[in-house]
């Protein structure tokens, strides 16, 4: 990643991204705070509604308690003609004092819709005694009422009022949205059960309670409803969901349990906050449904402005990157590009100097540095070339006496044995070898090196006729390639002198050459005695011959004495490293009794060609 993108990324990562994260954090904190605070407000509101509803119901409980205490209901049940006990139709003068007081009490509560009594001792038309008449309403017969579960509940309450909400028992209370009180009536002298009182009250007061109460601001969309523990909506001031199952409208199934609960969910396809408060003395729950959009409207406006500000900041960052940062990073990028050209070996490259700021000074310093490096590099190159030539001459001097000593020793043996023809042949081949060895050229063709190797092997065959055979496999298209002279012969000599020492079978030396990935692979393989891991460990590049380093496992032998038997191999390896670089060299693979394989890797080039490896070393 270049400097321009790094600076732009740093601006985004250190300014824009933290600002965005901070905004999102504040946004979600505000959202959660809205939900939490509104839940608290709705809890207070639902408790207030619950308190108002309880007061209305308890007030009606006091009214019916008064009727029981004044024996009004007892007199109505024990009258000679129960059908004429309707207090709304009776003449004021025909009523006794208790009835007149109770009638005044009823008229002071205009919310009462209907009141009647089930007479336990009555028969026929006297089973139902009307106390407060209601038009177009047919009461449930007493026989059917006795068969209902509600009758059992009323009897178990033993005089305690039981309230029925709209739609809970429509066969008893009708289809109008009214609340109904039902309770057992006792005779006060002997506490004998004499009937059941049913009183219905109109929903005026309940509607006023729900409609006059708001949660939060006036712009919030809030609706209230009363739901029983089974999930039926008993009372909806808007008359839209009366009698329906609450869980069909809510996306989440709700369990109406004691206490308060509030959560966010879908209600009628709209995201809303549902708050539920269970009434303490009744099997009902108050529910408030508030549209989340109306609550989060202000936060949404804030979020929109925040996104606009972030977008403007981002545009400012892009503008700054394009018009200001490009000037700086562009100049630096040019200098970096020229530095990479220097890394590729182009020391003549120079940066154009224009302007008068710090970037121009940087370009000028780069050019001056390259001038200095160029002059120093030329001097070092000349000195290194002289040093390499000197080292090559020393290594070749090590190889020549070593080879001549072994060859002359073989000729001496043949002369002692009076093998004149063989001596003549060996002298001829030795002359051919010396002709190449004493040349001033360091490089020869692979064909000349192969001819030199065959002369050497033929000399060794004269000496060790039945000890080994050899095979040379070099493709014709590779014979013109250049190679350092005396590369193959010392490696083969090492195999013959040390690999076949003491073997009880006929040795085999195989020399093969091939091309691989632009390199020449020279392989010398023998089936001799091989080398141990300790002997392989002493083979090192560029080791001074006078160095005596003791290695574990050699039983006191030094590196000097162990390396001497492989002097030719090490010399060839060092020459290759000096000429071609560390990418090239000799690799040895061997094991006791498994023979030895020496693989030499050099670059492929024609004789006299300035090959790539040589240019890298230069």
């Amino acid at each position: 990643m270049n400097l321009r993108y790094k600076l732009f990324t740093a601006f985004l990562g250190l300014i824009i991204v933290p600002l965005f994260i901070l905004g999102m954090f504040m946004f979600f904190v505000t959202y959660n705070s809205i939900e939490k605070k509104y839940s608290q407000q709705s809890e207070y509101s639902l408790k207030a509604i619950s308190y108002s509803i309880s007061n209305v119901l308890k007030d009606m409980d006091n009214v019916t308690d008064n009727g029981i205490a004044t024996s009004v209901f007892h007199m109505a049940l024990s009258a000679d003609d129960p059908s004429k006990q309707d207090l709304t139709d009776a003449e004021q003068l025909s009523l006794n004092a208790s009835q007149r007081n109770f009638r005044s009490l009823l008229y002071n509560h205009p919310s009462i819709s209907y009141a009647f009594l089930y007479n336990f001792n009555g028969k026929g038309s006297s089973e139902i005694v009307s106390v407060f008449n209601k038009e177009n309403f047919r009461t449930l017969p007493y026989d059917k009422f006795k068969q209902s579960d509600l009758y059992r509940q009323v009897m178990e309450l033993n005089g305690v009022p039981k309230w029925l909400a709209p739609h809970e028992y429509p066969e008893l209370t009708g289809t109008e949205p009214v609340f109904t009180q039902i309770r057992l009536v006792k005779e006060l002298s002997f506490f004998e059960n004499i009937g059941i009182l049913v009183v219905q009250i109109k929903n005026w007061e309940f509607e006023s309670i729900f409609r006059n109460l708001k949660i939060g601001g006036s712009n919030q969309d809030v609706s209230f409803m009363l739901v029983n523990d089974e999930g039926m909506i008993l009372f909806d001031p808007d008359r839209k969901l009366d009698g329906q199952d609450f869980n069909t409208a809510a996306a989440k199934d709700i369990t109406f349990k004691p206490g308060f609960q509030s959560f966010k969910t879908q209600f009628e396809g709209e995201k809303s906050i549902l708050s539920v408060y269970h009434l303490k003395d009744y099997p009902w729950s108050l529910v408030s449904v508030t549209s989340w959009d109306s609550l989060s409207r202000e936060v949404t406006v804030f979020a929109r402005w925040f996104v606009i500000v972030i977008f403007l900041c981002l545009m400012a960052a892009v503008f700054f990157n394009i018009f200001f940062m490009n000037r700086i990073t562009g100049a630096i990028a040019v200098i970096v590009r020229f530095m990479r050209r220097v890394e590729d070996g182009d020391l003549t490259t120079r940066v154009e100097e224009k302007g008068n700021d710090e970037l121009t000074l940087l370009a000028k310093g780069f050019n001056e540095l390259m001038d200095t490096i160029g002059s120093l590099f030329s001097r070092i190159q000349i000195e290194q070339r002289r040093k390499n030539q000197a080292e090559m001459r020393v290594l070749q001097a090590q190889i020549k006496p070593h080879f001549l000593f072994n060859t002359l020793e073989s000729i001496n043996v043949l002369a002692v044995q009076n093998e004149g023809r063989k001596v003549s042949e060996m002298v001829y081949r030795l002359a051919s070898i010396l002709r190449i060895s004493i040349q001033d050229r360091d490089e020869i063709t692979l064909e000349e090196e192969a001819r030199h190797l065959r002369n050497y092997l033929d000399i060794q065959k004269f000496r060790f006729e039945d000890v080994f055979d050899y095979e040379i496999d070099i493709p014709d298209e590779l014979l013109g390639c250049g190679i350092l002279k005396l590369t193959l012969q010392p490696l083969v000599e090492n195999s013959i002198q040390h690999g076949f020492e003491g073997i009880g079978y006929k040795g085999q030396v195989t020399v093969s050459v091939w091309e691989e990935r632009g390199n020449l692979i020279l392989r010398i393989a023998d089936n001799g005695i091989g080398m141990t891991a300790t002997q392989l460990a002493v083979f090192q590049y560029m080791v001074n011959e006078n160095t005596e380093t003791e290695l574990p496992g050699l039983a006191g032998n030094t590196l000097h004495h162990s390396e001497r038997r492989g002097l030719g191999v090490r010399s060839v390896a060092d020459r290759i490293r000096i000429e071609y670089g560390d990418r090239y060299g000799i690799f040895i693979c061997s094991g006791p009794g498994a023979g030895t394989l020496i693989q030499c890797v050099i670059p492929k080039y024609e004789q006299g060609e300035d090959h790539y490896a040589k240019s890298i070393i230069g």
Side-chain angles (χ1 to χ4, degrees), residues 406-472:
N406 291 332
T407 304
L408 291 174
E409 182 182 4
S410 300
I411 295 175
N412 179 56
V413 172
L414 292 176
V416 171
Q417 296 175 353
N418 293 323
E419 295 286 346
R421 186 183 61 81
K422 290 184 179 181
V423 170
S424 175
E425 184 68 25
M426 288 184 68
V427 170
Y428 172 77
R429 295 190 180 277
L430 178 59
S432 299
I433 292 175
L434 291 176
R435 188 177 298 111
I436 293 177
S437 300
I438 63 177
Q439 290 178 358
D440 291 335
R441 292 184 303 159
D442 292 331
E443 291 181 351
I444 60 176
T445 63
L446 187 57
E447 181 179 9
E448 291 175 311
E449 179 70 12
R451 186 184 309 118
H452 174 81
L453 178 62
R454 286 192 179 90
N455 289 329
Y456 168 76
L457 288 172
D458 288 339
I459 290 174
Q460 295 293 57
K461 285 285 288 182
F462 280 122
R463 184 181 177 189
F464 309 110
E465 185 174 358
D466 297 326
V467 174
F468 73 94
D469 287 329
Y470 70 89
E471 178 183 354
I472 300 177

Side-chain angles (χ1 to χ4, degrees), residues 29 131 145 170 199 206 260 266 274 289 311 329 344 358 367 374 399 414 437 446 491 509 558 589:
V29 168
V131 177
F145 175 67
V199 178
F206 294 97
F260 176 79
Q266 294 282 338
L274 300 184
V289 181
F311 178 76
T329 58
D344 294 336
E358 288 78 2
N367 293 335
I399 293 175
L414 292 176
S437 300
L446 187 57
L491 304 180
V509 177
T558 62
C589 180

